[in-house]
Amino acid sequence: MLSSAEPRLAGNLPSHVRIVEVGPRDGLQNEPGVVETATKVALISALGDSGLDYIEATSFVSPKWVPQMGDNKEVFAAINGDGVRRPGVVYSALTPNMRGLEAAIEAGADEVAVFGAASDAFSLRNINCTVIESMERFQPVCEAAAKAGIPVRGYVSTVMGCPYAGEVDPEAVGWVARRLLDMGCREISLGDTIGVGNPMQMQRVIHAVCSDEGHGVPLSAVAVHCHDTYGTALANILAAMQMGVSVVDSAVGGLGGCPYAKGASGNVATEDVVYMCHGMGVETGVDMDALLAASRLISHALGREPASKAAKALIAKHDAERAAAEAEQDAKARRQQERAAAPAQQPLPSGTASRACHAQAVAARQ
Ligand SMILES: CC(C)(COP(=O)([O-])OP(=O)([O-])OC[C@H]1O[C@@H](n2cnc3c(N)ncnc32)[C@H](O)[C@@H]1OP(=O)([O-])[O-])[C@@H](O)C(=O)NCCC(=O)NCCSC(=O)C[C@@](C)(O)CC(=O)[O-]
């Protein structure tokens, strides 16, 4: 628990950050079209190759509300089939109600997530019930998941602003986070759903959630989930890390948004989080080159560049290095061809007379 002192923008960084990759779910749920199941599975497989150990694969929600996730069973069938599942990786899914939970368990999800909000206006549009009603829905989901031995993650959306109601009181965030923890969620992810927050706000929210005069949620049970609409996501994540948060949600390529939060841009890009963490000496366990391969795969499938600045810079750098190496290779091959095409040189005889002969021979050749 935090001390009662008002937080400042300073502190010790954690030595390791666990990344929760939400691209296949939060990212692809917001694409205008439905991405093919095979592409989703290839992405999940590539993400597993990169060292990420938690991948939110899909959601078990109404396909009428979010058709993009309508292939949830097929996605899990592929994960649990041949060659996709990686040992030690948790493959999770969103489950808004009992029906979702039952389907997720049947499909073979390792973990599920319930998703609430700190604002009634958003909750109503997202899951068709108020915040209080959502807690009543989630309670049996958490109980049934516990019985089935499935861990539950809890989301709180709109922690720094609501697209419909505007400002959100950090106290409301703390209240929801505490309720989710008390009903059995092992981790609470604080979502800046529309990416409007700033680092000071982030610290105020974490203070309200975690401090002993706030709601006393252990810092070790808190994750942050930042969208990057106004370009403050990395700063907000750093501010949270400085307060001791060590779990960060992100989406490869900066994919995503929320269908019920118009104008919200994608999640912070996993590549950007990994770049920032590694640069500060904070471990993530993620291999950047393998992550870039996943980023390229989904960018290619969607026909656009990744939104990640780190991915764009690193891909451009790798491309430039490859082009320089290829140019050097070509130049070498050209020099070899020219040497092979030139007439054979006579060995240079020794002595003055011989040197004169050689000069004549050279002149004759020119
Ligand atoms: C939650 C409901 C289902 C309630 O929707 P409802 O209308 O209140 O529920 P209902 O029980 O009356 O059922 C309505 C219809 O949905 C069906 N249904 C009911 N439950 C399920 C289910 N589990 N799976 C499949 N179908 C389901 C049900 O069978 C029925 O079908 P119909 O009779 O009309 O044919 C609906 O509002 C919904 O699906 N909403 C989608 C919410 C969503 O996925 N939002 C995006 C994810 S949240 C997010 O992105 C934020 C986050 C997590 O990333 C963090 C952040 O950024 O802040």
Side-chain angles (χ1 to χ4, degrees):
M1 232 183 268
L2 283 180
S3 80
S4 58
E6 181 67 12
R8 282 166 292 142
L9 194 58
N12 294 320
L13 294 177
S15 58
H16 185 277
V17 156
R18 183 180 200 205
I19 295 184
V20 170
E21 171 60 48
V22 296
R25 192 280 302 171
D26 202 357
L28 301 184
Q29 77 180 8
N30 208 44
E31 284 301 312
V34 178
V35 174
E36 278 183 19
T37 308
T39 303
K40 293 178 181 177
V41 172
L43 174 64
I44 290 167
S45 184
L47 291 167
D49 287 338
S50 75
L52 286 159
D53 64 5
Y54 192 111
I55 302 174
E56 198 172 76
T58 184
S59 59
F60 288 85
V61 300
S62 162
K64 286 189 187 149
W65 285 62
V66 186
Q68 292 88 338
M69 298 286 110
D71 59 352
N72 40 32
K73 290 190 186 74
E74 291 78 8
V75 167
F76 265 101
I79 290 171
N80 293 320
D82 282 342
V84 177
R85 182 177 274 280
R86 302 285 180 274
V89 178
V90 173
Y91 297 91
S92 73
L94 293 195
T95 54
N97 51 20
M98 283 301 289
R99 179 165 167 191
L101 175 73
E102 282 155 15
I105 292 176
E106 173 142 5
D110 301 320
E111 181 161 324
V112 297
V114 292
F115 47 107
S119 134
D120 274 334
F122 181 80
S123 185
L124 281 162
R125 279 167 177 92
N126 194 37
I127 52 173
N128 204 22
C129 61
T130 64
V131 173
I132 301 268
E133 285 163 354
S134 74
M135 297 299 125
E136 286 157 11
R137 274 189 198 179
F138 297 157
Q139 181 80 48
V141 173
C142 288
E143 283 164 12
K147 271 201 197 114
I150 305 275
V152 184
R153 198 169 195 249
Y155 279 101
V156 188
S157 283
T158 63
V159 302
M160 295 199 271
C162 170
Y164 311 106
E167 269 180 41
V168 171
D169 185 355
E171 165 56 26
V173 181
W175 185 87
V176 177
R178 182 79 229 183
R179 287 290 304 267
L180 291 172
L181 187 81
D182 289 346
M183 70 175 76
C185 292
R186 62 154 197 90
E187 186 168 277
I188 312 297
S189 173
L190 304 175
D192 184 12
T193 314
I194 49 171
V196 289
N198 62 58
M200 295 307 290
Q201 249 180 311
M202 174 59 97
Q203 294 202 334
R204 268 185 224 115
V205 167
I206 292 171
H207 191 255
V209 172
C210 300
S211 70
D212 43 13
E213 75 259 30
H215 289 267
V217 174
L219 270 167
S220 58
V222 167
V224 288
H225 178 109
C226 296
H227 287 255
D228 202 24
T229 317
Y230 290 89
T232 53
L234 274 184
N236 296 344
I237 289 166
L238 179 60
M241 287 168 63
Q242 285 174 308
M243 290 185 80
V245 171
S246 63
V247 184
V248 174
D249 299 1
S250 61
V252 65
L255 295 172
C258 175
Y260 301 101
K262 294 292 168 229
S265 73
N267 284 270
V268 67
T270 307
E271 302 90 310
D272 294 355
V273 175
V274 169
Y275 180 84
M276 179 179 83
C277 285
H278 290 186
M280 298 190 298
V282 177
E283 293 297 322
T284 64
V286 177
D287 177 80
M288 181 60 103
D289 285 341
L291 180 62
L292 288 178
S295 182
R296 277 184 200 264
L297 182 153
I298 193 62
S299 302
H300 183 72
L302 298 177
R304 60 167 192 262
E305 281 200 317
S308 161
K309 292 204 166 190
K312 276 194 255 203
L314 289 169
I315 288 171
K317 185 165 171 264
H318 291 176
D319 286 351
E321 283 166 1
R322 201 174 27 251
E326 279 167 12
E328 173 59 31
Q329 203 59 28
D330 288 350
K332 202 168 152 195
R334 233 185 356 264
R335 284 197 298 275
Q336 274 168 353
Q337 275 173 359
E338 282 167 7
R339 265 201 298 279
Q345 298 265 332
Q346 295 298 316
L348 186 64
S350 60
T352 315
S354 307
R355 270 205 299 279
C357 283
H358 176 71
Q360 279 170 6
V362 169
R365 275 208 298 270
Q366 284 167 348

